[in-house]
Amino acid sequence: MDWHQTVYELIDFRSFSNLWFWIGLAVLWSTASHWVIGVPFDMVARAARQGGQAEQDFESLVRINCNRILFITEEAGLIMAAIGSFLLSTLAVLAFVFDIELAQAIFLMAAPMTLVWGLSIRTARKITGNQLTDEPLRKAMTRHRLIVQAIGMVSIFVTALWGMFQNLSAGVFGG
């Protein structure tokens, strides 16, 4: 095997047979479940364990990020929803009508992340509206993280099934 073949395999656009895609998918979901509403999840445990300044820092960071999310949503939410819908629709058509594997891979990563974004908005509204602090705030953040992890597990499972189907189809039918 020459170096041209090696380089080509590294930048191959057949996403589901490319190691870089799977690494990117794992990083995407591990990051999404660690940064809950923009707050690193280890701060939740530290706030519960240590209290005091750690709790104040945690609550301040949650308040800042919730206000940021709600501000963005109120100012540009409609435009973001329209652009996001257009982009996801375009990806879906390219992916599943025109059978472009790169678009399939991006769609299978982006579509579930829109659910996470919507969930983040809902959780931010709940936290801000109810002015949650202390244990109720930690419970809300933990619940949000568990739902994000569930979305991630389903997403990875569906992506793995679709990827195996694509790889088997390419191998069997010479795609």
Side-chain angles (χ1 to χ4, degrees):
M1 178 184 294
D2 62 349
W3 72 274
H4 287 80
Q5 183 68 22
T6 306
V7 170
Y8 177 74
E9 285 180 5
L10 282 176
I11 59 172
D12 186 14
F13 285 114
R14 292 206 46 243
S15 302
F16 299 112
S17 61
N18 193 327
L19 179 63
W20 293 109
F21 169 75
W22 296 105
I23 291 171
L25 185 68
V27 168
L28 174 75
W29 285 110
S30 65
T31 302
S33 68
H34 178 70
W35 292 88
V36 181
I37 309 179
V39 178
F41 193 74
D42 60 288
M43 289 187 76
V44 176
R46 192 175 327 128
R49 194 174 51 251
Q50 294 177 357
Q53 187 63 44
E55 181 83 27
Q56 290 174 355
D57 292 346
F58 166 67
E59 289 180 5
S60 296
L61 195 52
V62 170
R63 181 183 49 77
I64 289 167
N65 283 319
C66 284
N67 289 339
R68 187 181 125 262
I69 288 170
L70 294 177
F71 175 77
I72 291 169
T73 303
E74 290 167 8
E75 291 297 316
L78 184 60
I79 293 169
M80 286 174 48
I83 292 171
S85 297
F86 171 76
L87 291 174
L88 277 178
S89 299
T90 302
L91 273 174
V93 169
L94 289 172
F96 303 109
V97 175
F98 292 107
D99 201 32
I100 298 173
E101 190 172 321
L102 181 62
Q104 292 170 2
I106 294 170
F107 179 83
L108 289 171
M109 290 170 70
M113 288 307 292
T114 60
L115 296 175
V116 172
W117 179 250
L119 179 66
S120 296
I121 293 169
R122 191 182 110 207
T123 303
R125 283 194 176 127
K126 177 184 174 186
I127 290 170
T128 304
N130 296 334
Q131 297 179 349
L132 298 181
T133 58
D134 300 324
E135 183 63 24
L137 176 60
R138 291 193 300 272
K139 280 186 179 181
M141 295 291 281
T142 302
R143 189 174 315 112
H144 177 86
R145 181 181 193 218
L146 288 174
I147 295 170
V148 168
Q149 287 176 328
I151 292 169
M153 286 189 300
V154 170
S155 172
I156 290 170
F157 180 72
V158 168
T159 303
L161 285 179
W162 185 259
M164 284 188 286
F165 171 74
Q166 288 296 96
N167 287 335
L168 288 173
S169 295
V172 172
F173 302 115

